[in-house]
Amino acid sequence: MRRSLNHIYAQLIDDTKGVTLAQASSVSLKISGGNVEAAKKVGLKLAETAKEQAITKARFDRAGRLFHGRVKALADAAREGGLQ
């Protein structure tokens, strides 16, 4: 997960193989603004993409960020979309 002032990005990565399995971002979804609503949409899209690849479980790396605001919104939306 990475966030900037204007956008938020998330990826599912297989650490053992070093391969990105799924990704979603406010840029790819053409959402302007890096707000909580954008983070929710990115989380839902990430979960949808993961489901297509039969991925049901993931660990969340918040990259040292506090777990609130956009970071929490993205994680909650991914859970809501079906990721554990």
Side-chain angles (χ1 to χ4, degrees):
M1 197 266 333
R2 178 176 173 264
R3 68 181 179 99
S4 70
L5 238 103
N6 297 319
H7 297 288
I8 191 158
Y9 310 82
Q11 296 177 326
L12 293 176
I13 299 172
D14 183 345
D15 281 338
T16 58
K17 296 177 184 174
V19 177
T20 301
L21 304 171
Q23 69 85 28
S25 70
S26 57
V27 174
S28 66
L29 295 174
K30 298 182 178 155
I31 302 169
S32 61
N35 56 20
V36 172
E37 288 303 315
K40 287 179 184 178
K41 291 177 184 176
V42 170
L44 287 171
K45 180 63 177 173
L46 186 67
E48 177 186 319
T49 306
K51 273 187 189 178
E52 291 171 1
Q53 296 186 17
I55 299 169
T56 58
K57 291 186 178 183
R59 290 208 174 160
F60 189 69
D61 179 5
R62 54 190 171 80
R65 304 275 184 197
L66 294 176
F67 192 75
H68 68 89
R70 292 185 283 166
V71 175
K72 184 178 186 311
L74 189 144
D76 288 345
R79 285 188 201 110
E80 189 179 301
L83 279 178
Q84 294 180 352

